[in-house]
Amino acid sequence: MRVFHTLTLVLLVVVGCEQPRMPVSSEVSNSSATPAESVTSPTVDIPMASSGTTLEPFDAATVADEQLMKTVNPNADAAWGDWAVDSATLSGEPLPNEVAATISLYIDEGSYVVNLGDQVDKGTVLIRRRADPMELDITGVEGPNAGKTILAIFEQADSNSLVVCYSFEGAERPKEFTSTVENGHFLVKYKRQVIK
């Protein structure tokens, strides 16, 4: 099926809840980012899921409770954490809900993990918040995108939503949040997940 084949080749921002959440490379991090590139409001470090755990839809009360029990990381970026696909469009075609439901994403300082069913894609990610629109540089290290660099743009209306537009065909970064047959972009709207 074309959608599965294309997604296997272009998986980049989703993290598996069942995979260890360790940075892929200690050499790539946001530690060199200037203060303007970081989100000023801190977010909670979401714990690593153990085998057999499931993701529940974001619940503000649960996060508030977790904040009381954890030390807030003042350097955390609002894009870090666990994400599930709310909706996605590939080359102008909506991704079927049953496919979208199998995708998860995890981002932390300098690394990402994407799961699509049994497929796992891991690598490094560089976040540029000072760009307009904001940018992601994604480099695959393990999985179907190993050795590839994917250029993307993103936006966040708040810390619980994330919209990313990926360019899988060609080396040019998307300029707007659109997915058409002509541009071949992968446009994904993510919602934050809280691990139970």
Side-chain angles (χ1 to χ4, degrees), residues 8 14 42 62 96 130:
T8 299
V14 189
T62 301
R130 290 183 4 180

Side-chain angles (χ1 to χ4, degrees), residues 114-131:
V114 173
N115 277 6
L116 171 60
D118 294 334
Q119 295 275 341
V120 179
D121 183 27
K122 297 180 183 180
T124 62
V125 61
L126 176 63
I127 299 172
R128 291 193 191 91
R129 286 194 171 271
R130 290 183 4 180

